[in-house]
Amino acid sequence: DVKVTQSSRYLVKRTGEKVFLECVQDMDHENMFWYRQDPGLGLRLIYFSYDVKMKEKGDIPEGYSVSREKKERFSLILESASTNQTSMYLCASGSIFGETQYFGPGTRLLVL
Amino acid sequence: DAKTTQPNSMESNEEEPVHLPCNHSTISGTDYIHWYRQLPSQGPEYVIHGLTSNVNNRMASLAIAEDRKSSTLILHRATLRDAAVYYCILRVVVYNQGGKLIFGQGTELSVKP
């Protein structure tokens, strides 16, 4: 079974802190994605990556950056966390030829 | 980007069929129609997808209109475990780079015993 794991299920940070959210997949997938999910807004794509060291902006990249140094790992970075980044963050992976994205369980981030 | 429109919520009785509608009037010829669902406190999971023809798998069936401007996810016998938010999604094909999913608002399905 495909497994996508995220480093934390719950995280509490203070405004201005640098925050790292880690995502690891075990299926050698080329594609990896970061979404955030907010009530009434659904899932929105932040960044995605089609290969190591490659990244593409999604629909709401402002305030975020990403890193993909290894194929299995895709990190989302909040350089200076703000309260409006309080949200559920979901990572997903998929093969370049596949139709399916596999999602992790999510990280619920609270920024105080 | 192409968008989808779904009812906010639907109710079903256990062991009855459920038809979840989705409109995607601005779909382009290469966009695949995907359905995912999200159970409480979990990430979304894949249900089914199609391009032009109707599709069946062990979880559900997907009926696609001839003009592709709408589709319907069919759960043949709803169970309590099918209570979830169902997302109708268009998969945008980017040549040689896989595709990204454009999520809509989803339909919250409740199943009554």
Side-chain angles (χ1 to χ4, degrees):
Chain A
D1 274 353
V2 175
K3 198 159 187 182
V4 179
T5 56
Q6 296 184 228
S7 49
S8 306
R9 289 302 302 269
Y10 301 94
L11 212 51
V12 180
K13 295 292 181 181
R14 297 211 173 270
T15 302
E17 278 193 77
K18 190 168 186 175
V19 182
F20 292 87
L21 302 182
E22 303 284 340
C23 175
V24 178
Q25 51 97 359
D26 66 358
M27 282 300 293
D28 202 35
H29 285 159
E30 293 83 5
N31 299 340
M32 295 189 75
F33 306 83
W34 274 107
Y35 298 85
R36 65 176 282 177
Q37 184 172 29
D38 302 287
L41 296 175
L43 276 83
R44 293 178 291 166
L45 182 64
I46 305 171
Y47 266 98
F48 56 103
S49 168
Y50 291 123
D51 203 347
V52 175
K53 296 193 187 295
M54 288 184 63
K55 59 186 179 184
E56 295 285 342
K57 292 180 181 179
D59 300 318
I60 50 163
E62 296 79 20
Y64 303 94
S65 62
V66 290
S67 171
R68 190 151 181 219
E69 296 296 319
K70 294 185 178 181
K71 192 174 185 180
E72 67 270 19
R73 189 179 298 268
F74 192 35
S75 302
L76 181 70
I77 304 155
L78 288 65
E79 295 288 342
S80 177
S82 63
T83 54
N84 63 12
Q85 292 179 310
T86 290
S87 186
M88 168 71 87
Y89 290 88
L90 290 155
C91 175
S93 75
S95 73
I96 197 164
F97 300 111
E99 292 294 332
T100 303
Q101 285 188 22
Y102 298 88
F103 284 81
T107 295
R108 191 169 291 281
L109 173 66
L110 173 62
V111 182
L112 300 172
Chain B
D1 284 336
K3 297 276 192 278
T4 61
T5 305
Q6 300 175 253
N8 289 332
S9 61
M10 289 184 66
E11 263 189 8
S12 171
N13 293 317
E14 197 175 12
E15 298 190 4
E16 289 186 358
V18 183
H19 290 236
L20 297 163
C22 180
N23 288 319
H24 28 78
S25 57
T26 59
I27 191 170
S28 73
T30 55
D31 290 343
Y32 283 78
I33 301 158
H34 285 236
W35 284 82
Y36 281 69
R37 71 179 186 180
Q38 188 171 19
L39 302 170
S41 302
Q42 295 187 26
E45 65 174 345
Y46 169 81
V47 177
I48 200 167
H49 78 278
L51 184 62
T52 56
S53 304
N54 294 345
V55 184
N56 299 296
N57 68 19
R58 62 173 181 82
M59 288 182 73
S61 295
L62 176 60
I64 301 173
E66 201 169 326
D67 63 5
R68 298 203 338 120
K69 293 181 186 258
S70 65
S71 60
T72 302
L73 178 72
I74 302 163
L75 307 179
H76 296 287
R77 287 185 68 206
T79 70
L80 297 178
R81 287 176 295 178
D82 291 323
V85 177
Y86 287 79
Y87 292 98
C88 171
I89 297 159
L90 298 183
R91 180 173 177 267
V92 178
V93 177
V94 178
Y95 176 70
N96 213 28
Q97 291 185 330
K100 66 174 184 176
L101 302 176
I102 303 171
F103 279 79
Q105 295 303 307
T107 296
E108 183 167 10
L109 175 68
S110 57
V111 180
K112 295 185 292 184

